[in-house]
Amino acid sequence: MSVLHEQPVAPAHPQRSAFVRRAMAVAALLLFVLFAGLGTWQVFRLHWKLDLIERVDARVHADPVAPPLASQWPQVSRESDEYRRLRLSGRYLYELTTPVQALSDLGAGFWLLTPLCLGDGHIVLVNRGFIPSSGDIATRYPARKAGANPCAAIQGAPVDVVGLLRIAEPKSGFLRDNDPVNNRWYAREVGAIAAARGLDLAQVAPFFVDAGKGQDPKDAPETAVGGLTVISFPNNHLVYALTWYALALMVAAAAWWVARYEAKRGNTDD
């Protein structure tokens, strides 16, 4: 009768096992540093967002001031000026009004952007407010062009407007491209609208103003509802920071558990 002898299983190569352990330790350390760094970055973002909200809130509730002078236009920026309350005085060029598609609390419709001639001859585009989608908007607001000096012989009573300074809307994946040729507007691009209306860009402010509620003149061709500016800054940075820190702690805990297990196994093998 033959006897079968079991062949002993060769132990794992000690150098290979040590290499795997070192590789796992390095990977765990890198992941811990990465997750902790991302969490810290979100903390910095949180403080930046809270500071932004505080600054904007102070601007919105401050007393209105005069618009920036033409010499100050190059320094106007989103960070330092957006949502600042301005007081404007001038006359509207109603015939050059541009309707821009909008979705507001009142539904789908259009913003009415009308050039306002200031006393010094410069022009500010004013978003007079919202009108609902009804009728033939192209017929009511055709793509007219300004004459050589549109503010020289302007008709109509002067108006006072208090509103919020807004930076021209940039192109993004959320808005369709404007189509000036066909007078179809989806974003409030000041430069493009001014050029399409034949206005001298050197005379037009690089920002527009959202008029406040109840300020549209009674003699306007169509009454627009102002004061619909939405000021909202999503602030989820604390949640993101806690998530990244939690992942860092999970990596650290997993690395500690593996190290403890390897130490126990080493003691058992001895």
Side-chain angles (χ1 to χ4, degrees), residues 44-246:
F44 283 114
R45 293 284 294 174
L46 172 63
H47 289 296
W48 170 82
K49 184 62 69 67
L50 292 176
D51 180 65
L52 173 64
I53 293 173
E54 182 179 356
R55 284 187 284 114
V56 169
D57 185 70
R59 294 173 196 167
V60 170
H61 295 95
D63 292 333
V65 297
L69 300 174
S71 59
Q72 300 171 315
W73 289 352
Q75 286 75 48
V76 174
S77 67
R78 192 179 306 276
E79 291 73 20
S80 61
D81 297 286
E82 187 154 40
Y83 300 111
R84 192 178 302 281
R85 290 187 75 205
L86 302 182
R87 181 183 295 278
L88 311 175
S89 295
R91 286 180 167 87
Y92 278 125
L93 292 167
Y94 290 115
E95 68 275 12
L96 300 180
T97 296
T98 299
V100 181
Q101 285 194 10
L103 185 63
S104 74
D105 292 340
L106 301 180
F110 298 88
W111 302 121
L112 295 184
L113 268 67
T114 303
L116 180 71
C117 291
L118 306 181
D120 60 2
H122 291 102
I123 296 174
V124 175
L125 285 184
V126 176
N127 175 19
R128 291 166 37 217
F130 176 85
I131 61 170
S133 297
S134 62
D136 187 356
I137 195 73
T139 301
R140 283 149 51 201
Y141 298 98
R144 296 192 178 98
K145 286 187 176 293
N149 190 358
C151 294
I154 190 173
Q155 301 295 322
V159 297
D160 291 327
V161 180
V162 174
L164 302 178
L165 185 151
R166 302 295 308 279
I167 303 300
E169 291 175 329
K171 292 183 179 180
S172 69
F174 300 101
L175 296 174
R176 297 169 61 182
D177 291 336
N178 288 325
D179 184 5
V181 175
N182 295 303
N183 198 29
R184 294 174 181 170
W185 300 90
Y186 308 98
R188 291 169 288 187
E189 292 185 79
V190 172
I193 293 174
R197 295 293 166 261
L199 298 172
D200 183 357
L201 295 182
Q203 297 297 110
V204 180
F207 54 84
F208 66 95
V209 172
D210 277 346
K213 184 177 180 180
Q215 297 191 57
D216 213 26
K218 295 181 179 179
D219 61 348
E222 185 170 6
T223 302
V225 179
L228 297 179
T229 305
V230 176
I231 303 176
S232 176
F233 298 97
N235 187 8
N236 299 315
H237 298 295
L238 179 59
V239 175
Y240 296 153
L242 293 176
T243 300
W244 289 121
Y245 283 142

